[in-house]
Amino acid sequence: MELYTYHRSVAAHRVRIVLNIKGLSCEYRFVDIAGDKLQRYQFRALNPQGLAPVLVDEGHVITQSMAIMEYLEERWPTRAVLPKDIPGRARVRALAQLFISDIQPLHNLRVLRYLRKQHGQDDAQVAQWSAHWIAEGLAAVEHLLGSSTETGAYCHGDHPTLADACLVPEVHEAIEQGVDLSEFPLVRQVYATCMTLAAFQAAAPETQRDASGLPETSWV
Amino acid sequence: MELYTYHRSVAAHRVRIVLNIKGLSCEYRFVDIAGDKLQRYQFRALNPQGLAPVLVDEGHVITQSMAIMEYLEERWPTRAVLPKDIPGRARVRALAQLFISDIQPLHNLRVLRYLRKQHGQDDAQVAQWSAHWIAEGLAAVEHLLGSSTETGAYCHGDHPTLADACLVPEVHEAIEQGVDLSEFPLVRQVYATCMTLAAFQAAAPETQRDASGLPETSWV
Protein backbone atom coordinates (compact mmCIF):
# COMPACT_ATOMS: atom_id res chain seq x y z
CA MET A 1 0.00 0.00 0.00
CA GLU A 2 1.29 3.44 -0.94
CA LEU A 3 0.31 6.91 0.19
CA TYR A 4 1.17 9.92 -1.91
CA THR A 5 1.70 12.54 0.73
CA TYR A 6 3.03 16.04 1.22
CA HIS A 7 4.13 17.17 4.66
CA ARG A 8 2.22 20.47 4.52
CA SER A 9 -1.03 18.97 3.21
CA VAL A 10 -3.70 19.10 5.90
CA ALA A 11 -5.66 16.37 4.07
CA ALA A 12 -2.66 14.01 3.84
CA HIS A 13 -1.97 14.63 7.53
CA ARG A 14 -5.42 13.21 8.39
CA VAL A 15 -4.74 10.00 6.50
CA ARG A 16 -1.29 9.53 8.08
CA ILE A 17 -2.95 9.71 11.51
CA VAL A 18 -5.50 7.01 10.64
CA LEU A 19 -2.81 4.76 9.15
CA ASN A 20 -0.83 5.13 12.39
CA ILE A 21 -3.82 4.53 14.68
CA LYS A 22 -4.51 1.30 12.80
CA GLY A 23 -0.83 0.36 12.80
CA LEU A 24 -0.90 -0.23 9.04
CA SER A 25 2.26 -0.58 7.01
CA CYS A 26 2.26 1.91 4.14
CA GLU A 27 5.01 3.22 1.91
CA TYR A 28 5.07 7.00 1.62
CA ARG A 29 5.66 8.67 -1.74
CA PHE A 30 6.50 12.29 -1.19
CA VAL A 31 5.10 14.71 -3.70
CA ASP A 32 6.00 18.39 -3.61
CA ILE A 33 2.61 19.84 -4.51
CA ALA A 34 3.59 23.39 -3.68
CA GLY A 35 6.85 23.47 -5.56
CA ASP A 36 8.39 21.15 -8.15
CA LYS A 37 6.56 21.59 -11.47
CA LEU A 38 7.75 18.30 -12.98
CA GLN A 39 6.53 16.38 -9.95
CA ARG A 40 3.17 18.13 -10.09
CA TYR A 41 2.85 17.33 -13.78
CA GLN A 42 3.68 13.66 -13.28
CA PHE A 43 1.44 13.43 -10.24
CA ARG A 44 -1.53 14.54 -12.33
CA ALA A 45 -1.36 11.24 -14.21
CA LEU A 46 -2.38 9.62 -10.93
CA ASN A 47 -4.73 12.32 -9.73
CA PRO A 48 -5.90 14.80 -12.38
CA GLN A 49 -6.68 17.32 -9.65
CA GLY A 50 -3.04 17.25 -8.53
CA LEU A 51 -4.14 17.13 -4.91
CA ALA A 52 -2.71 14.99 -2.10
CA PRO A 53 -3.36 12.54 -0.59
CA VAL A 54 -3.77 9.58 -2.93
CA LEU A 55 -3.80 6.00 -1.66
CA VAL A 56 -2.89 3.11 -3.94
CA ASP A 57 -3.87 -0.33 -2.65
CA GLU A 58 -4.02 -3.49 -4.74
CA GLY A 59 -4.27 -1.44 -7.92
CA HIS A 60 -7.05 0.78 -6.61
CA VAL A 61 -6.27 4.49 -6.80
CA ILE A 62 -8.24 6.31 -4.12
CA THR A 63 -8.47 10.09 -3.86
CA GLN A 64 -10.08 12.37 -1.25
CA SER A 65 -8.98 12.05 2.37
CA MET A 66 -12.46 11.15 3.68
CA ALA A 67 -12.92 8.41 1.08
CA ILE A 68 -9.44 7.06 1.94
CA MET A 69 -10.14 7.05 5.69
CA GLU A 70 -13.50 5.30 5.22
CA TYR A 71 -11.73 2.78 2.97
CA LEU A 72 -9.10 2.06 5.61
CA GLU A 73 -11.86 1.65 8.22
CA GLU A 74 -13.77 -0.84 6.06
CA ARG A 75 -10.68 -2.82 4.99
CA TRP A 76 -9.13 -2.93 8.48
CA PRO A 77 -11.93 -2.50 11.04
CA THR A 78 -9.62 -3.27 13.97
CA ARG A 79 -8.63 -0.20 16.02
CA ALA A 80 -11.79 1.44 14.76
CA VAL A 81 -11.89 5.16 14.03
CA LEU A 82 -15.70 5.23 13.91
CA PRO A 83 -17.95 4.27 16.85
CA LYS A 84 -20.27 1.28 16.52
CA ASP A 85 -23.64 2.99 16.98
CA ILE A 86 -25.18 4.65 13.95
CA PRO A 87 -25.95 8.04 15.60
CA GLY A 88 -22.41 8.13 17.02
CA ARG A 89 -20.97 7.43 13.58
CA ALA A 90 -23.05 10.29 12.22
CA ARG A 91 -21.76 12.65 14.91
CA VAL A 92 -18.14 11.74 14.21
CA ARG A 93 -18.62 12.06 10.44
CA ALA A 94 -20.35 15.44 10.87
CA LEU A 95 -17.45 16.76 12.95
CA ALA A 96 -14.94 15.39 10.44
CA GLN A 97 -16.87 16.90 7.57
CA LEU A 98 -16.91 20.31 9.22
CA PHE A 99 -13.11 20.35 8.94
CA ILE A 100 -13.09 18.73 5.49
CA SER A 101 -15.74 20.79 3.76
CA ASP A 102 -16.26 23.96 5.82
CA ILE A 103 -12.72 24.94 6.79
CA GLN A 104 -9.90 23.38 4.81
CA PRO A 105 -11.24 23.95 1.26
CA LEU A 106 -11.25 27.68 1.90
CA HIS A 107 -7.57 27.95 2.79
CA ASN A 108 -5.90 25.37 0.65
CA LEU A 109 -3.03 26.34 -1.57
CA ARG A 110 -4.87 26.51 -4.89
CA VAL A 111 -7.53 28.81 -3.41
CA LEU A 112 -5.06 31.19 -1.77
CA ARG A 113 -3.04 31.33 -5.00
CA TYR A 114 -6.17 32.13 -6.96
CA LEU A 115 -7.22 34.86 -4.52
CA ARG A 116 -3.79 36.41 -4.94
CA LYS A 117 -3.42 36.11 -8.70
CA GLN A 118 -6.95 36.47 -10.05
CA HIS A 119 -8.50 38.67 -7.39
CA GLY A 120 -5.50 40.86 -6.64
CA GLN A 121 -5.50 40.21 -2.92
CA ASP A 122 -2.19 40.93 -1.16
CA ASP A 123 -0.47 38.73 1.45
CA ALA A 124 -2.21 40.40 4.40
CA GLN A 125 -5.62 40.03 2.80
CA VAL A 126 -4.99 36.39 1.94
CA ALA A 127 -3.81 35.68 5.50
CA GLN A 128 -6.87 37.42 6.91
CA TRP A 129 -9.17 35.37 4.63
CA SER A 130 -7.56 32.14 5.74
CA ALA A 131 -7.61 32.99 9.45
CA HIS A 132 -11.25 34.06 9.22
CA TRP A 133 -12.48 30.69 7.93
CA ILE A 134 -10.34 28.71 10.35
CA ALA A 135 -11.60 30.72 13.33
CA GLU A 136 -15.23 30.55 12.20
CA GLY A 137 -14.99 26.79 11.73
CA LEU A 138 -13.22 26.16 15.02
CA ALA A 139 -15.89 28.23 16.82
CA ALA A 140 -18.51 25.84 15.44
CA VAL A 141 -16.44 22.82 16.51
CA GLU A 142 -15.98 24.32 19.99
CA HIS A 143 -19.76 24.72 20.25
CA LEU A 144 -20.42 21.16 19.09
CA LEU A 145 -17.87 19.74 21.54
CA GLY A 146 -19.25 21.81 24.41
CA SER A 147 -22.91 21.01 23.80
CA SER A 148 -22.73 17.22 23.66
CA THR A 149 -22.43 14.68 26.45
CA GLU A 150 -20.67 12.39 23.97
CA THR A 151 -17.55 14.52 23.97
CA GLY A 152 -14.88 12.83 26.08
CA ALA A 153 -11.12 13.01 26.24
CA TYR A 154 -11.41 13.00 22.46
CA CYS A 155 -14.02 14.53 20.14
CA HIS A 156 -16.25 11.51 20.67
CA GLY A 157 -15.75 9.43 23.79
CA ASP A 158 -12.41 8.21 25.02
CA HIS A 159 -10.89 6.83 21.85
CA PRO A 160 -9.58 8.76 18.87
CA THR A 161 -11.86 8.79 15.83
CA LEU A 162 -12.00 10.31 12.35
CA ALA A 163 -13.06 13.56 14.01
CA ASP A 164 -9.75 13.78 15.91
CA ALA A 165 -7.83 12.79 12.77
CA CYS A 166 -9.37 15.89 11.18
CA LEU A 167 -9.16 18.22 14.21
CA VAL A 168 -5.43 17.80 14.81
CA PRO A 169 -4.20 18.74 11.30
CA GLU A 170 -6.47 21.80 11.23
CA VAL A 171 -5.35 23.00 14.68
CA HIS A 172 -1.75 22.41 13.64
CA GLU A 173 -2.38 24.58 10.58
CA ALA A 174 -4.12 27.22 12.73
CA ILE A 175 -1.07 27.39 15.01
CA GLU A 176 1.24 27.69 11.99
CA GLN A 177 -0.86 30.57 10.68
CA GLY A 178 -0.92 32.29 14.05
CA VAL A 179 -4.69 32.03 14.51
CA ASP A 180 -5.78 33.01 18.03
CA LEU A 181 -7.07 29.82 19.71
CA SER A 182 -7.77 31.34 23.14
CA GLU A 183 -11.54 31.10 22.68
CA PHE A 184 -11.44 27.41 21.83
CA PRO A 185 -10.41 25.64 25.07
CA LEU A 186 -12.11 22.34 24.25
CA VAL A 187 -10.51 22.23 20.82
CA ARG A 188 -7.11 22.88 22.39
CA GLN A 189 -7.72 20.23 25.04
CA VAL A 190 -8.59 17.54 22.50
CA TYR A 191 -5.56 18.55 20.44
CA ALA A 192 -3.27 18.25 23.47
CA THR A 193 -4.71 14.84 24.39
CA CYS A 194 -4.21 13.56 20.84
CA MET A 195 -0.64 14.82 20.74
CA THR A 196 0.29 12.58 23.68
CA LEU A 197 -0.24 9.59 21.36
CA ALA A 198 2.56 8.23 19.16
CA ALA A 199 0.10 7.79 16.27
CA PHE A 200 -0.46 11.55 16.15
CA GLN A 201 3.14 12.53 16.89
CA ALA A 202 4.48 10.40 14.03
CA ALA A 203 2.02 11.95 11.58
CA ALA A 204 2.96 15.56 12.33
CA PRO A 205 4.15 17.63 9.33
CA GLU A 206 7.50 18.57 10.91
CA THR A 207 8.42 14.92 11.52
CA GLN A 208 7.88 13.91 7.89
CA ARG A 209 10.89 13.01 5.78
CA ASP A 210 9.88 15.53 3.12
CA ALA A 211 9.76 18.38 5.63
CA SER A 212 13.33 19.49 5.04
CA GLY A 213 14.59 19.94 1.51
CA LEU A 214 14.51 17.17 -1.03
CA PRO A 215 13.60 13.84 0.52
CA GLU A 216 15.72 10.83 -0.37
CA THR A 217 12.57 8.86 -1.00
CA SER A 218 10.83 11.29 -3.32
CA TRP A 219 8.75 9.24 -5.73
CA VAL A 220 10.08 10.74 -8.97
CA MET B 1 -37.91 12.24 10.87
CA GLU B 2 -37.47 15.88 9.90
CA LEU B 3 -35.23 17.58 7.39
CA TYR B 4 -34.45 21.27 7.69
CA THR B 5 -34.09 22.23 4.09
CA TYR B 6 -33.81 25.28 1.85
CA HIS B 7 -34.71 25.00 -1.81
CA ARG B 8 -31.56 26.76 -3.03
CA SER B 9 -29.15 24.81 -0.81
CA VAL B 10 -27.01 22.48 -2.90
CA ALA B 11 -26.24 20.40 0.20
CA ALA B 12 -29.92 20.01 1.19
CA HIS B 13 -30.70 19.03 -2.41
CA ARG B 14 -28.33 16.05 -2.08
CA VAL B 15 -30.11 14.77 1.00
CA ARG B 16 -33.58 15.17 -0.56
CA ILE B 17 -32.42 12.96 -3.44
CA VAL B 18 -31.21 10.20 -1.11
CA LEU B 19 -34.43 10.35 0.94
CA ASN B 20 -36.41 9.96 -2.28
CA ILE B 21 -34.26 7.11 -3.64
CA LYS B 22 -34.83 5.23 -0.41
CA GLY B 23 -38.53 6.11 -0.38
CA LEU B 24 -38.30 7.41 3.18
CA SER B 25 -41.01 9.47 4.74
CA CYS B 26 -39.60 12.73 6.08
CA GLU B 27 -41.23 15.99 7.09
CA TYR B 28 -39.60 19.03 5.54
CA ARG B 29 -39.01 22.15 7.61
CA PHE B 30 -38.26 25.05 5.32
CA VAL B 31 -35.68 27.49 6.55
CA ASP B 32 -34.89 30.65 4.62
CA ILE B 33 -31.14 30.71 5.13
CA ALA B 34 -30.57 33.48 2.62
CA GLY B 35 -33.24 35.84 3.86
CA ASP B 36 -35.32 35.96 7.03
CA LYS B 37 -33.13 37.07 9.94
CA LEU B 38 -35.44 35.78 12.67
CA GLN B 39 -35.52 32.33 11.08
CA ARG B 40 -31.74 32.30 10.77
CA TYR B 41 -31.37 33.28 14.40
CA GLN B 42 -33.77 30.57 15.60
CA PHE B 43 -32.22 28.00 13.29
CA ARG B 44 -28.84 28.55 14.93
CA ALA B 45 -30.20 26.99 18.12
CA LEU B 46 -30.37 23.75 16.13
CA ASN B 47 -27.22 24.22 14.08
CA PRO B 48 -24.80 26.88 15.35
CA GLN B 49 -23.33 27.16 11.85
CA GLY B 50 -26.72 28.17 10.50
CA LEU B 51 -26.22 25.88 7.52
CA ALA B 52 -28.74 23.54 5.90
CA PRO B 53 -29.42 20.65 5.82
CA VAL B 54 -30.06 19.33 9.31
CA LEU B 55 -31.74 15.97 9.91
CA VAL B 56 -33.55 15.24 13.16
CA ASP B 57 -34.31 11.58 13.78
CA GLU B 58 -35.31 10.07 17.12
CA GLY B 59 -33.82 13.04 18.95
CA HIS B 60 -30.53 12.90 17.08
CA VAL B 61 -29.59 16.17 15.39
CA ILE B 62 -27.34 15.44 12.43
CA THR B 63 -25.55 18.12 10.44
CA GLN B 64 -23.41 17.93 7.26
CA SER B 65 -24.95 16.45 4.12
CA MET B 66 -22.38 13.64 3.81
CA ALA B 67 -22.88 12.56 7.43
CA ILE B 68 -26.66 12.63 6.92
CA MET B 69 -26.47 10.55 3.73
CA GLU B 70 -24.18 7.96 5.36
CA TYR B 71 -26.59 7.88 8.32
CA LEU B 72 -29.56 7.20 6.03
CA GLU B 73 -27.59 4.46 4.28
CA GLU B 74 -26.70 2.74 7.56
CA ARG B 75 -30.20 3.08 9.08
CA TRP B 76 -32.05 2.03 5.89
CA PRO B 77 -29.67 -0.07 3.79
CA THR B 78 -32.40 -1.06 1.31
CA ARG B 79 -32.18 0.77 -2.04
CA ALA B 80 -28.50 1.24 -1.35
CA VAL B 81 -26.70 4.39 -2.46
CA LEU B 82 -23.26 2.84 -1.93
CA PRO B 83 -22.03 -0.25 -3.78
CA LYS B 84 -21.22 -3.42 -1.80
CA ASP B 85 -17.52 -3.78 -2.64
CA ILE B 86 -15.06 -1.73 -0.60
CA PRO B 87 -13.09 -0.27 -3.55
CA GLY B 88 -16.37 0.68 -5.25
CA ARG B 89 -17.56 2.39 -2.09
CA ALA B 90 -14.30 4.33 -2.00
CA ARG B 91 -14.73 5.43 -5.63
CA VAL B 92 -18.29 6.63 -4.99
CA ARG B 93 -17.28 8.45 -1.81
CA ALA B 94 -14.32 10.09 -3.58
CA LEU B 95 -16.59 11.37 -6.36
CA ALA B 96 -19.14 12.60 -3.81
CA GLN B 97 -16.41 14.29 -1.80
CA LEU B 98 -15.09 16.09 -4.85
CA PHE B 99 -18.43 17.91 -5.06
CA ILE B 100 -18.75 18.31 -1.29
CA SER B 101 -15.29 19.56 -0.45
CA ASP B 102 -13.69 20.78 -3.68
CA ILE B 103 -16.55 22.61 -5.41
CA GLN B 104 -19.51 23.58 -3.26
CA PRO B 105 -17.63 25.11 -0.27
CA LEU B 106 -16.10 27.67 -2.60
CA HIS B 107 -19.37 29.05 -3.94
CA ASN B 108 -21.73 28.83 -1.02
CA LEU B 109 -23.63 31.86 0.12
CA ARG B 110 -21.50 32.76 3.16
CA VAL B 111 -18.30 32.67 1.07
CA LEU B 112 -19.66 34.78 -1.78
CA ARG B 113 -21.04 37.29 0.74
CA TYR B 114 -17.65 37.48 2.45
CA LEU B 115 -15.82 37.96 -0.85
CA ARG B 116 -18.16 40.84 -1.62
CA LYS B 117 -18.20 42.55 1.77
CA GLN B 118 -14.73 41.93 3.18
CA HIS B 119 -12.69 41.67 0.02
CA GLY B 120 -14.50 44.30 -2.03
CA GLN B 121 -15.21 42.06 -4.99
CA ASP B 122 -18.05 43.21 -7.25
CA ASP B 123 -20.85 41.03 -8.68
CA ALA B 124 -18.92 40.17 -11.83
CA GLN B 125 -15.83 39.15 -9.87
CA VAL B 126 -17.89 37.04 -7.49
CA ALA B 127 -19.68 35.33 -10.39
CA GLN B 128 -16.34 34.65 -12.08
CA TRP B 129 -14.91 33.17 -8.85
CA SER B 130 -17.88 30.87 -8.49
CA ALA B 131 -17.91 29.75 -12.13
CA HIS B 132 -14.16 29.09 -12.00
CA TRP B 133 -14.37 26.58 -9.15
CA ILE B 134 -17.44 24.86 -10.57
CA ALA B 135 -15.79 24.44 -13.98
CA GLU B 136 -12.48 23.27 -12.49
CA GLY B 137 -14.27 20.71 -10.32
CA LEU B 138 -16.52 19.43 -13.11
CA ALA B 139 -13.45 19.01 -15.34
CA ALA B 140 -11.98 16.68 -12.71
CA VAL B 141 -15.26 14.77 -12.45
CA GLU B 142 -15.43 14.46 -16.24
CA HIS B 143 -11.91 13.01 -16.24
CA LEU B 144 -12.73 10.54 -13.46
CA LEU B 145 -15.91 9.41 -15.22
CA GLY B 146 -14.10 9.03 -18.55
CA SER B 147 -11.12 7.12 -17.21
CA SER B 148 -12.92 4.36 -15.30
CA THR B 149 -14.62 1.23 -16.57
CA GLU B 150 -16.89 1.41 -13.53
CA THR B 151 -18.76 4.42 -14.90
CA GLY B 152 -22.11 3.26 -16.25
CA ALA B 153 -25.42 4.96 -16.91
CA TYR B 154 -24.72 6.63 -13.58
CA CYS B 155 -21.45 7.76 -11.99
CA HIS B 156 -20.83 4.23 -10.75
CA GLY B 157 -22.54 1.38 -12.56
CA ASP B 158 -26.22 1.30 -13.43
CA HIS B 159 -27.79 2.41 -10.19
CA PRO B 160 -27.78 5.87 -8.65
CA THR B 161 -25.37 6.34 -5.75
CA LEU B 162 -24.19 9.08 -3.41
CA ALA B 163 -22.02 10.33 -6.28
CA ASP B 164 -25.10 11.04 -8.42
CA ALA B 165 -26.87 12.60 -5.44
CA CYS B 166 -23.96 15.06 -5.34
CA LEU B 167 -23.50 15.50 -9.10
CA VAL B 168 -27.08 16.52 -9.87
CA PRO B 169 -27.36 19.44 -7.39
CA GLU B 170 -24.00 20.83 -8.52
CA VAL B 171 -24.87 20.60 -12.22
CA HIS B 172 -28.23 22.21 -11.46
CA GLU B 173 -26.36 25.04 -9.74
CA ALA B 174 -23.92 25.29 -12.67
CA ILE B 175 -26.83 25.68 -15.08
CA GLU B 176 -28.41 28.34 -12.84
CA GLN B 177 -25.13 30.25 -12.83
CA GLY B 178 -24.72 29.94 -16.59
CA VAL B 179 -21.52 27.88 -16.44
CA ASP B 180 -20.54 26.49 -19.83
CA LEU B 181 -20.97 22.69 -19.65
CA SER B 182 -20.07 21.93 -23.26
CA GLU B 183 -16.77 20.32 -22.32
CA PHE B 184 -18.36 17.93 -19.84
CA PRO B 185 -20.42 15.51 -21.97
CA LEU B 186 -20.24 12.62 -19.48
CA VAL B 187 -21.32 14.86 -16.61
CA ARG B 188 -24.27 16.10 -18.69
CA GLN B 189 -25.18 12.55 -19.69
CA VAL B 190 -25.27 11.31 -16.08
CA TYR B 191 -27.29 14.37 -15.12
CA ALA B 192 -29.82 13.70 -17.90
CA THR B 193 -30.13 10.05 -16.91
CA CYS B 194 -30.72 10.95 -13.26
CA MET B 195 -33.35 13.51 -14.18
CA THR B 196 -35.49 10.82 -15.80
CA LEU B 197 -36.05 9.39 -12.30
CA ALA B 198 -38.88 10.60 -10.07
CA ALA B 199 -36.53 10.56 -7.04
CA PHE B 200 -34.38 13.26 -8.65
CA GLN B 201 -37.26 15.22 -10.18
CA ALA B 202 -39.06 15.53 -6.83
CA ALA B 203 -35.88 16.80 -5.14
CA ALA B 204 -35.25 19.63 -7.61
CA PRO B 205 -35.07 23.16 -6.12
CA GLU B 206 -37.83 24.58 -8.32
CA THR B 207 -40.32 21.90 -7.24
CA GLN B 208 -39.85 22.62 -3.51
CA ARG B 209 -42.69 24.23 -1.59
CA ASP B 210 -40.36 26.98 -0.35
CA ALA B 211 -39.31 27.91 -3.89
CA SER B 212 -41.94 30.62 -4.29
CA GLY B 213 -42.44 33.18 -1.56
CA LEU B 214 -43.30 32.24 1.98
CA PRO B 215 -44.15 28.58 2.29
CA GLU B 216 -47.26 27.63 4.26
CA THR B 217 -45.24 25.04 6.10
CA SER B 218 -42.34 27.23 7.20
CA TRP B 219 -41.08 25.87 10.52
CA VAL B 220 -41.26 29.15 12.47
Side-chain angles (χ1 to χ4, degrees), chain A residues 47-88:
Chain A
N47 179 9
Q49 288 188 282
L51 302 173
V54 176
L55 187 80
V56 181
D57 184 38
E58 296 185 340
H60 302 292
V61 177
I62 307 169
T63 56
Q64 298 287 341
S65 64
M66 189 66 173
I68 295 172
M69 295 189 291
E70 295 266 9
Y71 175 84
L72 295 173
E73 180 75 349
E74 292 186 342
R75 280 267 281 145
W76 294 278
T78 312
R79 304 189 198 172
V81 288
L82 280 171
K84 283 184 185 162
D85 64 303
I86 294 177

Side-chain angles (χ1 to χ4, degrees), chain A residues 5-6 14 16 24 39 43 85 91 124 138 143 154 157 160 162 182 185 193 208 217:
Chain A
T5 175
Y6 172 53
R14 296 173 195 141
R16 293 195 302 264
L24 296 172
Q39 268 201 31
F43 182 55
D85 64 303
R91 179 170 180 265
L138 291 183
H143 183 99
Y154 298 91
L162 286 188
S182 59
T193 305
Q208 300 305 297
T217 48

Side-chain angles (χ1 to χ4, degrees), chain A residues 44-45 47-49 51 60 62-68 70-71 74-75 82 85-87 89-91 93-95 97-103 105-106 108 110-111 114-115 118-121 125-126 128-129 132-133 136-137 140 143-144 150, chain B residues 44-45 47-49 51 60 62-68 70-71 74-75 82 85-87 89-91 93-95 97-103 105-106 108 110-111 114-115 118-121 125-126 128-129 132-133 136-137 140 143-144 150:
Chain A
R44 280 182 191 270
N47 179 9
Q49 288 188 282
L51 302 173
H60 302 292
I62 307 169
T63 56
Q64 298 287 341
S65 64
M66 189 66 173
I68 295 172
E70 295 266 9
Y71 175 84
E74 292 186 342
R75 280 267 281 145
L82 280 171
D85 64 303
I86 294 177
R89 296 164 75 83
R91 179 170 180 265
R93 285 188 176 118
L95 280 164
Q97 209 68 52
L98 203 160
F99 293 103
I100 291 173
S101 64
D102 293 346
I103 306 179
L106 294 164
N108 77 13
R110 66 188 182 126
V111 172
Y114 194 77
L115 259 180
Q118 299 296 323
H119 290 265
Q121 304 294 292
Q125 288 169 313
V126 168
Q128 189 277 334
W129 162 277
H132 168 77
W133 297 113
E136 184 174 290
H143 183 99
L144 290 170
E150 305 207 78
Chain B
R44 280 182 191 271
N47 179 9
Q49 288 188 280
L51 302 174
H60 301 293
I62 307 168
T63 56
Q64 298 288 341
S65 64
M66 190 64 172
I68 295 172
E70 296 266 10
Y71 175 84
E74 292 186 343
R75 280 266 281 147
L82 281 172
D85 64 304
I86 295 177
R89 296 164 74 84
R91 179 169 180 266
R93 285 189 176 116
L95 280 164
Q97 208 67 53
L98 203 160
F99 292 104
I100 291 172
S101 63
D102 293 346
I103 306 179
L106 294 164
N108 76 14
R110 64 186 185 128
V111 172
Y114 194 78
L115 260 180
Q118 299 296 323
H119 289 265
Q121 304 294 293
Q125 287 169 314
V126 168
Q128 190 278 333
W129 162 277
H132 168 77
W133 297 113
E136 184 173 289
H143 183 99
L144 290 170
E150 305 208 79

Side-chain angles (χ1 to χ4, degrees), chain B residues 7 13 16-17 20 172 195 199-208 211:
Chain B
H7 67 108
H13 188 176
R16 294 195 301 264
I17 291 169
N20 292 348
H172 183 281
M195 290 311 293
F200 286 81
Q201 291 162 8
E206 57 276 11
T207 65
Q208 301 305 299

Side-chain angles (χ1 to χ4, degrees), chain B residues 31-43:
Chain B
V31 50
D32 183 5
I33 300 173
D36 193 302
K37 276 192 181 174
L38 177 64
Q39 267 201 31
R40 271 153 58 196
Y41 178 76
Q42 291 172 317
F43 183 54

